[in-house]
Amino acid sequence: MSEVVTYNREGSVGVITVSYPPVNALSHEVRSGLVAALEQGQKDSDAQVLLLVCEGRTFIAGADIREFGKPMQEPGLAAVVNQYESSDKPIVAAIHGTALGGGLETALGCDYRVALSSARVGLPEVKLGLLPGAGGTQRLPRLTGSKKALEMITTGEFVSADDALAAGIIDSVDQGGDIRAIGLAFADRVAKEQRGPRRVRDLDDRIAAEKGSQIFDEFRAALKKKSPNLFAPFKCVDAVEAATQLPFEQGLKRERELFSECMDSPQRAGLVHAFFAEREASKVPGLSRETPVRDVSSVGIIGAGTMGGGIAMNFANAGIAVFLLEQKQEALDKGLAVIRRNYESTAKKGRISQDDVEERMALIRPTLSYDDFADVDLVIEAVFEDMGVKKQIFGQLDAVCKPGAILASNTSTLDIDEIASATKRPEDVVGMHFFSPANVMKLLENVRGSKTSDEVKATVMSLAKRIGKVGVMVGNCYGFVGNRMLHRRGAEATALVNEGATPQQVDKVLTGLGFPMGQFAMSDLAGIDVGYRIRQERRKAGESIPPNWMDKLAEEGRLGQKTQAGVYKYEEGSRKPVPDPAVDAMIEEFRQEQGIAPRSISDDEILERCMYVMINEGAKILEEGIANRALDIDVVWIYGYGFPSYRGGPMFWADQVGLDKILTSIRNFQATVGGDQWQPSALLERLVKEGKSFASLNRT
Ligand code: 3HC
């Protein structure tokens, strides 16, 4: 008898219960248990109807993703679902929590589906680089028609129980109560009314009418625009189309072939890595899960500019009250107006109601006085990058804030320990680095200082979750994880243009890899003056940073999108970068001044120099313990900089390219290009020598 799937009878209903925490994923044990319990139910002459129900927080949330990439152990899920569908006795699936992927497919193999109104259903396989491979692409369109099925399967988005009811996916929704009792009552009715099996496979009417429909090509065309680099969504369309063209059994066979293609694709491996990396990142090595978390119910934010305003919105969205502080009323009014405009535009798109707008605005209270921070639980400073200013602010916070308040800086590069030294409570000081636009980007890089207490670390990690961010804990150094690597890439990209490449060529190579924008389009978005100011500060501090053509842009007031001219030019009201001959001329002038004879640079060299310089820096970051694991770096880049998740993050990508190949190129660039950025990381050298990967460091 299986321990994770049990069978018992209640009256005329045979109950199959799955209990496999945390999410009842369809591991080998669960699949075998489902088959065994079904056989018991079939043999039980007193059971007229069977009920499938789950214990714990959710119905089955899908195939067990941890089994992907390993040899499949029989029974396969598709066979299990077919067995359920072939049952002589009708089966009712009772859904609470989420019925996802293989979980929904199992429910579709049952004859009736009931759900709590709080439940959600979906086929999110596409987000893992897959398509539903246990009949979902053949059964769902038989219930909903192809359009709804395509929407659900190509986006992977969940739908609410009410929407699922309206779409014909489930048969009955209950407002609340115990899902087992609700399922039993429904199954009892089926028994009393002597309803027989009602197999989804036999419902051919809707899809028969859709054979040869234009809708499939329309979906393909839309996907080509939206996600041309992705593999799985196109296979999803092929599979649903097959449902309209082939008899059920052959359709299942086609689905299986397409599923295998997806399973074998590198994109699937990258996306599954990203899924687990995101969850692992929340578990910080060395920080006990039992560490107490401080209560945070009010927040103070210093600076109502783009960053401070975006940060305030995150907290208001989560129902947390915010004091937003500025030095002048005018700046405060401007900041609040921008926040309101952002909310209004979200409401216009129908994503929140007008009431939500007002509620959230009411949670953000403007202030000109630090005195309002006396009782807040957390303060986040979001002023410009100037150590002197930040230290002065933290000194003031130390004087006004209550004991136990967390004092955080949103600095993107500066030393947290030095900031903390301006207070008498460095254990309460931490970095909380948000990414622009702060109300949209999902990354929160939490930076631990040398004295930050465990309680503060645990609190900021848990806060990340509360405000819908992906938190990663990193160590303190110039630029932390994300910007330290980005600045290396930026310097290399700039040097490539010094030597003969064009900015558009560099950007095209990076977008070709799957980045949403290239290095220079990104500089224009962030502001050319930002990088310029950082370089000047570092030059002042004695670092040897050679002059480059980007300095010229800043000095001539080409500050990026905000001045409609930076590396590119911009039409009024447009964010589309347009190459500008004036910039080509400035680059040429710079080369002449420096005596550089431009050479033709290949796309391969651009890719290797831009990416390998980041990987080398990433390896140094690991070596120094600034990032705990390679997966933390991957998460930072996926959620903070739009690294394509289907490539799994830069360190995962590097493992796929091969660390030996990368090290050989790094040594080559060390000899030809030079500079400390090309000094090979000792860790990288060790891994290559031992034949190991960055992934091997994830196992802590
Ligand atoms: N397999 C294995 N483990 C899973 C899992 C799955 N399908 N889904 C979640 N988990 C694990 C997580 O890794 C996490 O483990 P941890 O505690 O050790 O880190 C734990 O369950 C809880 O997950 P979350 O932290 O994500 O919990 P939430 O409550 O925030 O979310 C969820 C729950 C909505 C179920 C979310 O985990 C989720 O979206 N899971 C993936 C669902 C999915 O993609 N299913 C399709 C799988 S592919 C498939 O079914 C193929 C089939 O067609 C053949």
Side-chain angles (χ1 to χ4, degrees):
M1 187 66 204
S2 161
E3 298 206 339
V4 296
V5 185
T6 50
Y7 177 81
N8 74 303
R9 197 167 37 69
E10 300 198 23
S12 57
V13 182
V15 186
I16 298 170
T17 308
V18 182
S19 176
Y20 187 62
V23 295
N24 294 312
L26 290 153
S27 65
H28 173 245
E29 214 181 340
V30 172
R31 297 195 303 274
S32 318
L34 281 171
V35 170
L38 177 65
E39 282 166 1
Q40 257 189 296
Q42 300 287 17
K43 278 194 216 134
D44 183 350
S45 52
D46 292 326
Q48 289 177 42
V49 176
L50 302 179
L51 170 68
L52 173 64
V53 67
C54 295
E55 281 186 352
R57 64 206 244 202
T58 178
F59 191 76
I60 302 166
D64 191 335
I65 304 171
R66 290 180 200 276
E67 288 182 358
F68 291 174
K70 298 182 188 153
M72 220 281 294
Q73 280 182 284
E74 299 293 342
L77 181 59
V80 177
V81 176
N82 289 344
Q83 255 176 288
Y84 270 65
E85 192 171 55
S86 306
S87 161
D88 293 334
K89 297 178 184 179
I91 309 179
V92 177
I95 300 171
H96 74 296
T98 44
L100 302 177
L104 179 58
E105 290 176 297
T106 307
L108 294 177
C110 299
D111 303 83
Y112 301 95
R113 285 156 293 281
V114 298
L116 285 182
S117 62
S118 55
R120 291 177 302 156
V121 305
L123 293 173
E125 285 86 344
V126 73
K127 294 187 177 172
L128 299 170
L130 288 170
L131 54 84
T137 65
Q138 305 302 298
R139 290 192 180 91
L140 189 66
R142 283 178 157 79
L143 289 173
T144 64
S146 296
K147 183 164 182 286
K148 180 76 181 171
L150 282 168
E151 276 166 14
M152 283 178 66
I153 295 172
T154 59
T155 64
E157 297 301 331
F158 306 167
V159 299
S160 68
D162 284 336
D163 285 350
L165 180 71
I169 303 169
I170 47 187
D171 303 292
S172 162
V173 174
D174 256 78
Q175 285 317 306
D178 172 38
I179 188 61
R180 192 181 177 90
I182 289 164
L184 273 171
F186 191 94
D188 226 27
R189 262 204 318 279
V190 172
K192 287 213 175 76
E193 292 167 12
Q194 298 197 330
R195 291 194 229 167
R198 191 192 54 159
R199 299 181 175 119
V200 176
R201 64 191 299 162
D202 298 331
L203 308 174
D204 280 338
D205 293 359
R206 280 190 92 144
I207 50 167
E210 287 170 342
K211 189 171 177 176
S213 158
Q214 290 294 313
I215 189 177
F216 301 101
D217 282 339
E218 283 166 20
F219 260 81
R220 286 188 186 98
L223 285 172
K224 255 190 204 132
K225 268 202 192 149
K226 197 177 128 216
S227 38
N229 298 326
L230 290 180
F231 183 76
F234 294 93
K235 300 291 162 188
C236 292
V237 179
D238 293 351
V240 176
E241 187 171 31
T244 67
Q245 293 170 330
L246 300 171
F248 183 75
E249 289 298 338
Q250 284 181 38
L252 279 187
K253 202 165 152 262
R254 181 76 188 119
E255 178 193 83
R256 195 101 292 262
E257 290 161 2
L258 293 164
F259 181 78
S260 299
E261 284 180 38
C262 290
M263 191 57 107
D264 293 341
S265 85
Q267 293 196 357
R268 191 274 305 158
L271 287 162
V272 168
H273 169 73
F275 176 87
F276 284 119
E278 176 186 335
R279 282 153 183 83
E280 279 306 301
S282 66
K283 300 164 202 155
V284 181
L287 187 63
S288 158
R289 290 215 212 178
E290 274 72 55
T291 310
V293 167
R294 291 188 195 166
D295 180 42
V296 175
S297 52
S298 61
V299 178
I301 292 171
I302 306 171
T306 320
M307 209 59 200
I311 297 172
M313 289 173 76
N314 286 310
F315 288 96
N317 296 349
I320 301 172
V322 176
F323 277 111
L324 188 60
L325 181 131
E326 262 295 347
Q327 283 179 315
K328 296 210 173 86
Q329 187 63 42
E330 200 191 341
L332 211 44
D333 293 344
K334 206 170 140 202
L336 279 171
V338 173
I339 294 174
R340 177 170 281 283
R341 211 166 44 237
N342 284 338
Y343 277 141
E344 299 279 2
S345 118
T346 314
K348 242 187 227 141
K349 289 179 198 143
R351 294 207 207 112
I352 55 172
S353 68
Q354 195 57 40
D355 284 351
D356 291 334
V357 176
E358 298 311 327
E359 253 169 50
R360 292 175 196 195
M361 286 306 296
L363 280 170
I364 304 176
R365 279 180 286 169
T367 177
L368 295 170
S369 164
Y370 275 84
D371 293 345
D372 281 327
F373 286 175
D375 286 325
V376 296
D377 303 311
L378 162 73
V379 179
I380 302 176
E381 162 278 310
V383 307
F384 55 94
E385 294 287 84
D386 181 311
M387 183 55 90
V389 175
K390 292 201 192 251
K391 281 172 93 167
Q392 185 261 323
I393 288 174
F394 273 74
Q396 206 157 345
L397 289 177
D398 196 22
V400 296
C401 292
K402 67 181 180 188
I406 296 175
L407 311 181
S409 171
N410 176 54
T411 176
S412 58
T413 52
L414 299 177
D415 185 344
I416 294 296
D417 287 334
E418 194 177 342
I419 295 174
S421 72
T423 73
K424 286 188 276 318
R425 39 174 135 175
E427 65 284 0
D428 290 333
V429 178
V430 71
M432 289 179 83
H433 180 206
F434 290 79
F435 286 68
S436 192
N439 52 321
V440 178
M441 296 302 283
K442 286 199 70 172
L443 180 66
L444 178 56
E445 204 181 27
N446 286 322
V447 188
R448 53 171 187 263
S450 58
K451 295 193 178 139
T452 309
S453 75
D454 279 359
E455 218 174 274
V456 169
K457 288 180 209 162
T459 305
V460 292
M461 288 302 287
S462 107
L463 257 180
K465 253 199 192 141
R466 227 173 120 198
I467 60 173
K469 300 283 177 205
V470 178
V472 180
M473 180 58 71
V474 304
N476 184 25
C477 67
Y478 170 79
F480 319 123
V481 168
N483 279 346
R484 179 165 155 184
M485 288 167 74
L486 179 73
H487 288 180
R488 286 295 195 197
R489 190 185 79 176
E492 206 58 27
T494 308
L496 280 159
V497 175
N498 284 351
E499 292 167 39
T502 62
Q504 4 344 345
Q505 189 191 0
V506 173
D507 278 2
K508 195 154 169 263
V509 169
L510 292 173
T511 52
L513 196 76
F515 279 103
M517 58 173 73
Q519 178 70 36
F520 296 113
M522 195 168 149
S523 305
D524 276 353
L525 181 69
I528 298 292
D529 49 329
V530 176
Y532 178 70
R533 215 178 303 133
I534 292 172
R535 284 194 298 280
Q536 292 295 74
E537 283 293 315
R538 295 177 70 188
R539 284 174 182 136
K540 252 196 266 164
E543 273 188 65
S544 115
I545 300 179
N548 63 51
W549 57 276
M550 295 277 281
D551 295 340
K552 271 182 179 293
L553 296 183
E555 282 153 13
E556 296 204 5
R558 294 186 66 114
L559 303 185
Q561 282 192 19
K562 59 188 166 193
T563 56
Q564 284 178 256
V567 180
Y568 298 94
K569 60 181 175 185
Y570 298 85
E571 303 288 333
E572 177 79 50
S574 162
R575 289 175 175 275
K576 187 171 176 270
V578 179
D580 189 345
V583 173
D584 295 339
M586 285 165 73
I587 293 169
E588 194 39 49
E589 192 185 296
F590 170 80
R591 288 178 187 140
Q592 278 173 13
E593 280 165 18
Q594 300 291 318
I596 301 170
R599 64 186 172 92
S600 141
I601 297 186
S602 71
D603 287 357
D604 281 350
E605 180 177 344
I606 292 174
L607 181 92
E608 291 194 357
R609 282 177 60 183
C610 286
M611 291 305 295
Y612 295 178
V613 82
M614 275 179 32
I615 303 303
N616 199 33
E617 199 63 26
K620 290 175 187 173
I621 282 170
L622 279 171
E623 200 174 297
E624 294 165 24
I626 296 295
N628 290 311
R629 299 152 297 190
L631 65 84
D632 293 301
I633 301 181
D634 288 336
V635 174
V636 164
W637 272 83
I638 291 172
Y639 291 104
Y641 302 87
F643 191 96
S645 52
Y646 61 85
R647 294 196 194 276
M651 308 315 268
F652 182 86
W653 177 84
D655 279 346
Q656 314 310 303
V657 173
L659 298 190
D660 48 349
K661 176 173 184 276
I662 292 178
L663 181 60
T664 304
S665 294
I666 288 175
R667 286 190 176 129
N668 188 20
F669 293 134
Q670 187 185 21
T672 53
V673 181
D676 66 343
Q677 75 275 25
W678 291 116
Q679 171 67 43
S681 133
L683 174 71
L684 181 60
E685 287 182 321
R686 176 169 71 75
L687 289 174
V688 170
K689 205 160 144 211
E690 294 173 0
K692 289 189 178 154
S693 60
F694 286 128
S696 68
L697 307 171
N698 289 337
R699 289 186 277 275
T700 45

